[in-house]
Amino acid sequence: MKKIGFLSFGHWTPSPQSQTRSGADALLQSIDLAVAAEELGADGAYFRVHHFARQLGSPFPLLAACGAKTKTIEIGTAVIDMRYENPMYMAENAGAADLIAGGRLQLGISRGSPEQVIDGWRHFGFAPPAGMSDADMARHHTELFLEVLRGEGFARPNPNPMFPNPPGLLRLEPYSAGLRERIWWGAATNATAAWAAKLGMNLQSSTLKIDESGRPFHVQQAEQIRIFRAAWKEAGHTREPRVSVSRSIFALVDDRDRAYFGRGDESEDQIGFLGGNERAIFGRSYAAEPDILVEQLKTDEAIAEVDTLLLTVPNQLGVDYNAHVIEAILKHVAPGLGWR
C-alpha cells in the first residue's frame, strides 16, 4: 500500500477563468482541500513554496491552519527553498506548526528552483560568503536547521532572566519531538540524493530532475532513489527512510476530465534547461481512462520504488474539482495497482 497525497502550487490569478483569484483564495482553498482530501481518505496535503510569485509563499501559517482543521492527514511542503530561510526562526515556526498538527508535519526542503527575481534571497537578508554558492548556502542553512531540530541546548542562559530557566544550556522552543525524522530533501540530482541520505533526511523527487544519462525520466528517477537508499544504508541509519515522487495523473471519468485533460499533449517526457545551462528532463503527465492508467502506471519504475505518491493538482480549477481528481485516483486507479 502506498501513501497518496496531493501537491498544490497554490497558483492564483485575477483572471475570471480562475477559481482562485487572490492570495486569500489560494490560502483558504488550500485549507479546504486538505480537509476534503482527509475526508476522502487521502494521506497527505503538500504545498509548494515560491517567493515573489502569485503562489503559496509563506508555508507555516498555512501548515498550522491545515493542522488545526484536520486530524489524520499528513501536512507537508514540497519544497521550501532553504536559501531564504533563517534556520533558527524556521525551527521555531516548524515546531509550533507540528505541535498544532499533533506531529503530522512532513517538511520538504531544498536548494530551490529558478526564481521569479534575480537572487531573491538577498532581499531576505541572505548572501553566500566568499567562495560559497547560493546552493552551498542552502545546504549550510539546512545543516543548521537539522542540528537545532535535535532539541539539544546550545544557548548560554542569562544569569538574570525575566523568567526562570530550566538548568543547563537552552534550546529553541517550542520543541516538537520526532520532527527531525520528518524532514525531506527535494533532490534534483543523484549526488544531492546521496547527500540527503547521509544526513538522515527522507527523499522527495519531483516531476523534473537534471538529465544525467539521457534515459527516460522515470528510469533516471528510479536510479536516483536506489542511489539514495544505498547511501542511507552506508550511513548506518537505524530507521527506514521514506521516499516520494510527484506525478500529474488524471483519471478521465467524466466530461469535465476529458475537456481539461483528454488531449494527450503531455504524454511524453520533455527536455528543458534550468538557469539557462543545466539540461533537465521533465516527466510526462498521465491522463487516460482508469483501466488504461493502471497499465501505464505499472511501467513507471520510480513509482514502484517509493512509499509515497504526490498528485499535482490544478488548484485554480477549484476545491470541488480537485477533490474529484483525488477521489478518482483513490477510487478508480489505486485499487488496480494494489495501492488500496
Side-chain angles (χ1 to χ4, degrees):
M1 176 177 173
K2 292 189 187 299
K3 290 183 179 291
I4 301 175
F6 72 81
L7 171 60
S8 173
F9 281 46
H11 292 285
W12 60 273
T13 175
S15 166
Q17 281 74 46
S18 174
Q19 298 292 315
T20 310
R21 301 181 186 179
S22 69
D25 287 343
L27 289 162
L28 295 172
Q29 289 180 23
S30 294
I31 299 167
D32 289 344
L33 186 56
V35 171
E38 180 176 81
E39 291 173 351
L40 291 169
D43 302 295
Y46 286 73
F47 304 99
R48 185 67 166 92
V49 179
H50 277 118
H51 299 288
F52 298 102
R54 290 178 173 178
Q55 298 176 39
L56 301 173
S58 180
F60 291 105
L62 174 59
L63 295 171
C66 288
K69 285 280 193 176
T70 58
K71 291 181 172 38
T72 60
I73 196 169
E74 295 179 342
I75 309 294
T77 53
V79 290
I80 297 172
D81 188 333
M82 290 303 289
R83 295 174 296 181
Y84 286 79
E85 295 297 324
N86 177 319
M88 302 295 174
Y89 192 47
M90 183 179 178
E92 290 184 342
N93 283 335
D98 195 41
L99 291 172
I100 290 170
R104 290 181 283 128
L105 215 61
Q106 303 284 342
L107 279 186
I109 62 178
S110 188
R111 163 242 183 267
S113 60
E115 303 178 89
Q116 297 297 109
V117 300
I118 297 171
D119 295 347
W121 28 269
R122 293 186 184 276
H123 298 287
F124 280 55
F126 298 110
M132 181 182 288
S133 69
D134 63 315
D136 294 331
M137 180 176 68
R139 287 188 281 270
H140 177 62
H141 286 180
T142 297
E143 289 167 349
L144 290 176
F145 177 60
L146 295 176
E147 182 65 23
V148 171
L149 289 185
R150 293 173 59 195
E152 297 181 359
F154 61 91
R156 187 164 58 91
N158 186 340
N160 299 299
M162 181 177 295
F163 307 105
N165 281 323
L169 298 176
L170 301 183
R171 68 186 183 189
L172 291 177
E173 301 289 354
Y175 171 68
S176 185
L179 179 58
R180 171 62 179 82
E181 294 188 352
R182 288 179 273 115
I183 307 301
W184 306 58
W185 182 260
T189 66
N190 295 346
T192 53
W195 173 80
K198 290 175 184 177
L199 290 183
M201 289 186 283
N202 302 310
L203 176 67
Q204 288 179 337
S205 194
S206 73
T207 53
L208 70 88
K209 71 178 297 294
I210 301 304
D211 186 3
E212 299 183 79
S213 69
R215 291 185 293 175
F217 171 78
H218 72 101
V219 175
Q220 292 197 49
Q221 192 174 52
E223 180 183 21
Q224 179 193 50
I225 293 165
R226 289 189 286 268
I227 288 171
F228 167 80
R229 288 212 169 97
W232 183 278
K233 182 177 180 181
E234 183 179 351
H237 301 303
T238 57
R239 68 176 178 89
E240 281 296 312
R242 289 185 60 185
V243 181
S244 74
V245 294
S246 305
R247 289 290 185 273
S248 297
I249 305 173
F250 301 97
L252 306 182
V253 299
D254 64 22
D255 290 341
R256 291 176 302 169
D257 302 326
R258 296 181 188 95
Y260 287 137
F261 303 108
R263 298 182 300 275
D265 51 1
E266 295 184 11
S267 59
E268 301 292 335
D269 293 344
Q270 303 293 321
I271 297 295
F273 290 88
L274 297 179
N277 57 5
E278 284 190 298
R279 179 182 165 98
I281 184 166
F282 298 77
R284 58 164 295 182
S285 295
Y286 293 92
E289 305 294 325
D291 56 339
I292 297 174
L293 267 185
V294 168
E295 296 306 313
Q296 291 176 340
L297 293 170
K298 284 179 180 178
T299 67
D300 191 309
E301 293 184 19
I303 290 179
E305 291 278 348
V306 303
D307 59 83
T308 302
L309 173 65
L310 301 182
L311 305 170
T312 61
V313 294
N315 74 281
Q316 289 187 89
L317 295 180
V319 173
D320 289 344
Y321 182 71
N322 280 283
H324 159 78
V325 167
I326 296 166
E327 182 179 30
I329 298 300
L330 295 176
K331 183 177 179 180
H332 300 293
V333 178
L337 290 159
W339 299 345
R340 282 291 189 275

